[in-house]
Amino acid sequence: MKTKLLTAAALTALASGLSAQTLNVQMNADLRDSHPGVNRDGNSDGIMVHVVEGLVGYTEQTEVVPMLAETVDVSEDGTTFTFTLRDGVTFHNGKPLTSKEVLWSWNHYMDEATEWACARDFDGSRNLEVTSVEAPDDKTIVMKTDTPSAVFLALMARPECGQTGILHPASVDADGNWVAPIGTGPFQWSEWRKGEFVDLVAFEDYAPLDGATEPDGLVGAKKPLVDKVRFMVIPDAAAVSAGLRSNAIDVASISPDLLPEFKDDPNMALYNVRNFGNNVMYFQIRDPLLEKVEIRRAIAEAIDFDQLVEIASHGVGVPNMSMISVDSAYYSDVQKKRRAYDPESAKKRLQDAGYNGERISIIANKRGNVPSYASAIVAQAMMQQVGLNAQIDVLDYATQTDRRRNGEGQLLSVSIGPRFDPSLTYAFFIGDKDADKGKLWDDPKAMELMEKSFTTLDQAERQKIFDEMHELMLDQMPAVFMYNLVYSWVATSEVEGKPVWQSFPRAWEVSKAE
């Protein structure tokens, strides 16, 4: 109890002295970097979407539409993209947006010294190469790729790339060292007190999209309605609950086990927000046991997914064995298919595979806002019922992530953040494991289909590719996809507007009652 009291006092101190028009938003971990798309994680992405904007952005339904661009013209062969910039947009330092800053930003991101997380998506290392970027006049940028691309604009718009946010060159010092982001977003950078909070202040000269009256994903109406947003680092669930009830926190992400506490509270608004991320039982298919497809199929058939998802998500998740989100335009009847729960079939497959009780490790983490551990517990019980010697090994999240990236372990219960185009989801999971040990699946046919999806421009043809991919995955079972991520957020009754989109806090068009 003493620790909780001290934590609550610390929260009050953090919130004290701020204007009534400060929106206090909880984060479960500190910002990693103020450099968009560099040394990033989900918390960093969620802050940066308030500060910087790209030429294009995602809508509520994850369509890609112009943001800083007024228009985007794509050539018939899908290799030339012409962006015409909007009038009247200024940076946080008062300087006008022109094509010169767009060109500078692109060169900055693609400079190896920047270590931009998304550089390999555009330099030919993966699926396309941007062969030229030109600024023929102050309002126009022309970008060319070496191959037709169905996903080029989607790649540009990704939050994990910092939205390829356009920066003013004054974001770096005279020696080229990073200082702080100077963007065009509705809030501007103010202060970062490491381990405690990040402050953003309203950008009074923000230029909204013409005709936009409602927030729409990361575009639409984006007017800042509070003077300041303070992103507060509060990892402890008990402290989060105390902070919400004392009004020291206005908006917070909560762990699923706290849902009953807030579900029927008239002083709180609960948001269960499903996104395009995936909760996955991730097989290391080069493990001596799990390289046997019959064992992987047996594990899938041993799990009652309806029951697992009901328990692990506290009733807010929807079973989905597809890599594609249930909310995607590409989620077809084929994508709805999954392996049936069949314990007897699972037992026979294990016998046919020569399984003899060898230990299978399920590596999980106990982060409160993801179902890694809860899913592992349920899956373990179901696997044991068909004779699998499933045991759980709990690691911290960073170590678990290192294991996945290094191709280590056997079965990992993990949550993977959203990629809004199916090809981008496939690219995260599929690839040559000799070149990248963290890849999930390196079947030649799967890689061929993935690559084809990147260059196929017709939506109906892409659907056929995705459906064939799903059928192949159900046969080979390189992983067990369980359900799309659901993040639960709580806002106090003083908060007006919807402060959440996908897994991100969204502070624009959000206010506090006086």
Side-chain angles (χ1 to χ4, degrees):
M1 179 63 71
K2 184 177 181 181
T3 301
K4 293 181 181 179
L5 289 172
L6 288 171
T7 305
L11 287 174
T12 303
L14 274 176
S16 66
L18 296 176
S19 160
Q21 288 304 308
T22 295
L23 186 73
N24 294 313
V25 179
Q26 173 261 355
M27 295 193 302
N28 59 16
D30 200 4
L31 177 74
R32 294 185 65 164
D33 204 305
S34 66
H35 205 158
V38 176
N39 189 28
R40 41 79 46 201
D41 63 2
N43 286 323
S44 306
D45 299 340
I47 292 176
M48 286 300 107
V49 298
H50 293 79
V51 179
V52 299
E53 298 174 308
L55 295 172
V56 292
Y58 282 108
T59 68
E60 207 83 12
Q61 285 72 42
T62 67
E63 297 175 288
V64 181
V65 300
M67 184 152 56
L68 290 181
E70 181 76 30
T71 60
V72 181
D73 295 315
V74 185
S75 63
E76 287 188 11
D77 67 356
T79 63
T80 302
F81 301 79
T82 302
F83 304 87
T84 302
L85 300 180
R86 290 164 50 202
D87 292 323
V89 178
T90 58
F91 288 98
H92 297 149
N93 60 1
K95 304 296 183 182
L97 169 69
T98 73
S99 60
K100 294 178 182 176
E101 289 77 32
V102 178
L103 187 59
W104 181 89
S105 297
W106 180 260
N107 291 332
H108 172 74
Y109 287 127
M110 295 305 293
D111 187 337
E112 288 185 6
T114 301
E115 297 184 341
W116 186 41
C118 298
R120 293 183 63 200
D121 291 314
F122 302 103
D123 67 2
S125 299
R126 291 175 176 158
N127 293 287
L128 65 87
E129 180 180 2
V130 176
T131 56
S132 69
V133 181
E134 298 177 349
D137 58 55
D138 281 350
K139 287 195 62 177
T140 307
I141 286 286
V142 180
M143 306 182 77
K144 295 185 178 181
T145 62
D146 65 339
T147 184
S149 177
V151 299
F152 177 65
L153 296 178
L155 287 166
M156 295 273 286
R158 287 179 301 166
E160 62 266 32
C161 299
Q163 304 176 93
T164 318
I166 307 307
L167 299 162
H168 193 274
S171 301
V172 303
D173 64 19
D175 296 322
N177 299 308
W178 181 253
V179 179
I182 301 174
T184 62
F187 292 91
Q188 60 189 55
W189 186 259
S190 178
E191 181 182 3
W192 178 12
R193 191 173 296 177
K194 293 188 178 183
E196 296 185 38
F197 62 81
V198 174
D199 280 350
L200 308 180
V201 296
F203 180 39
E204 295 180 359
D205 295 325
Y206 178 73
L209 286 167
D210 290 340
T213 59
E214 298 290 337
D216 186 8
L218 298 178
V219 294
K222 297 177 69 173
K223 185 177 180 180
L225 301 180
V226 294
D227 300 320
K228 180 188 290 187
V229 182
R230 171 164 287 185
F231 293 93
M232 307 167 69
V233 182
I234 309 167
D236 180 69
V240 170
S241 180
L244 285 164
R245 297 198 180 285
S246 66
N247 290 318
I249 302 172
D250 299 307
V251 181
S253 175
I254 63 167
S255 58
D257 58 293
L258 290 180
L259 283 171
E261 180 179 341
F262 292 101
K263 183 178 180 181
D264 299 316
D265 190 328
N267 297 313
M268 303 288 169
L270 178 62
Y271 301 91
N272 292 314
V273 184
R274 185 170 60 216
N275 72 18
F276 278 45
N278 304 94
N279 295 301
V280 190
M281 291 290 184
Y282 195 109
F283 296 144
Q284 296 293 4
I285 60 175
R286 292 191 177 178
D287 174 78
L289 280 178
L290 297 183
E291 69 178 1
K292 298 177 180 180
V293 68
E294 285 298 284
I295 291 182
R296 302 199 300 268
R297 291 169 180 163
I299 292 173
E301 291 177 351
I303 297 174
D304 182 338
F305 283 92
D306 293 313
Q307 185 178 13
L308 182 147
V309 172
E310 176 71 20
I311 295 170
S313 73
H314 290 257
V316 298
V318 175
N320 178 21
M321 204 176 279
S322 171
M323 292 188 190
I324 295 177
S325 168
V326 297
D327 296 313
S328 170
Y330 291 102
Y331 191 71
S332 66
D333 287 341
V334 173
Q335 301 297 323
K336 294 177 183 178
K337 292 182 180 180
R338 49 183 163 125
R339 279 193 171 270
Y341 172 53
D342 192 339
E344 294 308 312
S345 175
K347 292 176 183 177
K348 186 175 186 307
R349 291 185 188 279
L350 293 175
Q351 183 179 14
D352 293 344
Y355 177 72
N356 194 32
E358 295 91 341
R359 187 183 196 272
I360 294 180
S361 167
I362 306 175
I363 297 176
N365 70 75
K366 285 191 173 181
R367 286 191 302 159
N369 63 337
V370 298
S372 171
Y373 185 67
S375 297
I377 289 289
V378 179
Q380 178 195 31
M382 293 174 176
M383 290 165 65
Q384 288 178 343
Q385 286 177 359
V386 300
L388 286 158
N389 180 15
Q391 304 298 327
I392 295 175
D393 295 308
V394 177
L395 301 177
D396 65 86
Y397 174 60
T399 304
Q400 185 197 43
T401 299
D402 287 341
R403 293 283 182 92
R404 176 181 60 77
R405 289 174 176 171
N406 293 330
E408 298 171 351
Q410 290 181 304
L411 196 164
L412 293 85
S413 178
V414 297
S415 298
I416 304 297
R419 274 90 180 151
F420 298 127
D421 186 281
S423 295
L424 304 183
T425 303
Y426 288 149
F428 181 87
F429 291 109
I430 298 169
D432 183 355
K433 289 180 72 68
D434 290 325
D436 184 348
K437 294 178 181 178
K439 293 298 183 184
L440 171 73
W441 191 20
D442 62 354
D443 176 75
K445 182 62 176 178
M447 290 192 286
E448 176 190 335
L449 289 169
M450 179 190 71
E451 291 169 4
K452 187 178 179 182
S453 76
F454 275 90
T455 58
T456 300
L457 304 181
D458 181 78
Q459 183 169 340
E461 291 302 311
R462 293 188 87 209
Q463 184 71 66
K464 292 178 183 177
I465 293 169
F466 299 146
D467 288 349
E468 185 177 354
M469 180 81 79
H470 185 60
E471 298 275 18
L472 183 64
M473 188 194 71
L474 289 179
D475 179 60
Q476 296 191 10
M477 292 308 302
V480 177
F481 286 79
M482 297 180 293
Y483 66 102
N484 295 112
L485 286 168
V486 180
Y487 282 90
S488 296
W489 291 76
V490 172
T492 63
S493 57
E494 287 78 14
V495 175
E496 299 175 347
K498 186 177 179 181
V500 183
W501 180 72
Q502 291 281 326
S503 56
F504 302 118
R506 186 173 63 181
W508 56 83
E509 300 293 334
V510 173
S511 60
K512 290 175 65 175
E514 295 290 347

